[in-house]
Amino acid sequence: DTEVTQTPKHLVMGMTNKKSLKCEQHMGHRAMYWYKQKAKKPPELMFVYSYEKLSINESVPSRFSPECPNSSLLNLHLHALQPEDSALYLCASSQTDRPAQYFGPGTRLTVL
Amino acid sequence: AQRVTQPEKLLSVFKGAPVELKCNYSYSGSPELFWYVQYSRQRLQLLLRHISRESIKGFTADLNKGETSFHLKKPFAQEEDSAMYYCALKENSNYQLIWGAGTKLIIKP
């Protein structure tokens, strides 16, 4: 399996909802990433996990809560989001000693 | 400061014409550079990395340290090359990629 998968593909949520985004890879990569991408803009790094430990948090608001249950899975828990959080959320993975990142298809999030 | 600049937001060329997407970087160390491509409604994909010096889908990119550039080139553009192209630089000390703003490439028939 050489792909990063993400679920769901689309998510619509209200500002009081709690939801989670999921990401999975079976390439043996030990670094995993969450990005936020607005239309026609490059991805913005949110979090990096290395060997299942959070290594980078790019000053992301606490309404986004990442979790890495094991080396293949990455979750992003969402709570009390704002309409401006609507975006494409991308997961990526890489080997820790090789910087090339492999991206999932993304979850298109709309916050009403 | 480390920075990646893609000066063209939009580049439009005719099918069969040569294509060059520009990327300039600012980095104090030894850079690792990448080109990523995002086709419409598809995932962001790694296209090229400078270390491998390969040609993918007819595209090549050469690192020019003197000009601090990593331009992406293809001699004969195809309609399927229409996409958003991002140049990215790996930071030395961690996993982060510094991204350019992207260039939208449109190949006209």
Side-chain angles (χ1 to χ4, degrees):
Chain A
D1 189 346
T2 58
E3 279 199 344
V4 177
T5 59
Q6 289 187 245
T7 56
K9 286 186 179 179
H10 302 276
L11 179 61
V12 179
M13 60 187 290
M15 289 191 283
T16 58
N17 292 158
K18 283 185 181 181
K19 297 286 185 184
S20 296
L21 309 184
K22 296 186 185 303
C23 173
E24 191 167 2
Q25 57 88 15
H26 295 287
M27 294 181 279
H29 292 170
R30 300 306 295 273
M32 295 185 76
Y33 311 76
W34 279 116
Y35 287 89
K36 174 182 177 181
Q37 188 180 28
K38 291 280 201 179
K40 299 182 182 178
K41 298 289 185 183
E44 300 171 42
L45 184 65
M46 300 174 72
F47 303 104
V48 181
Y49 274 83
S50 175
Y51 293 96
E52 296 89 71
K53 290 190 178 359
L54 184 64
S55 64
I56 295 176
N57 177 340
E58 287 292 314
S59 303
V60 179
S62 59
R63 57 186 183 268
F64 295 91
S65 175
E67 179 197 18
C68 191
N70 60 53
S71 60
S72 300
L73 292 174
L74 188 65
N75 298 322
L76 186 63
H77 303 296
L78 314 172
H79 174 54
L81 294 193
Q82 304 296 310
E84 58 266 28
D85 296 322
S86 297
L88 182 67
Y89 287 84
L90 299 172
C91 174
S93 70
S94 74
Q95 297 178 16
T96 53
D97 59 346
R98 296 183 185 181
Q101 295 179 18
Y102 295 86
F103 286 81
T107 293
R108 177 76 59 190
L109 174 67
T110 303
V111 182
L112 301 176
Chain B
Q2 296 160 26
R3 189 169 59 243
V4 175
T5 303
Q6 293 180 251
E8 303 134 330
K9 280 190 177 179
L10 176 66
L11 183 63
S12 181
V13 302
F14 284 102
K15 177 182 170 182
V19 170
E20 183 180 52
L21 293 101
K22 291 184 167 49
C23 173
N24 289 91
Y25 65 91
S26 172
Y27 187 63
S28 55
S30 186
E32 288 190 70
L33 286 148
F34 305 86
W35 277 100
Y36 280 84
V37 60
Q38 196 167 27
Y39 299 103
S40 179
R41 298 180 185 174
Q42 293 189 29
R43 70 182 68 204
L44 197 57
Q45 303 172 34
L46 177 65
L47 181 63
L48 284 176
R49 65 197 90 181
H50 90 270
I51 286 177
S52 56
R53 299 185 62 84
E54 56 202 339
S55 173
I56 303 290
K57 300 184 180 183
F59 284 98
T60 58
D62 289 318
L63 179 62
N64 186 324
K65 290 187 179 180
E67 295 183 359
T68 59
S69 68
F70 187 55
H71 302 328
L72 184 68
K73 299 178 185 178
K74 184 170 182 176
F76 308 104
Q78 304 297 313
E79 286 185 69
E80 56 265 29
D81 297 329
S82 295
M84 194 75 179
Y85 290 81
Y86 294 100
C87 183
L89 167 71
K90 178 193 171 291
E91 284 204 89
N92 212 18
S93 58
N94 59 40
Y95 301 103
Q96 286 187 268
L97 291 175
I98 300 168
W99 296 84
T103 297
K104 184 171 184 177
L105 177 64
I106 296 174
I107 307 300
K108 297 178 285 190

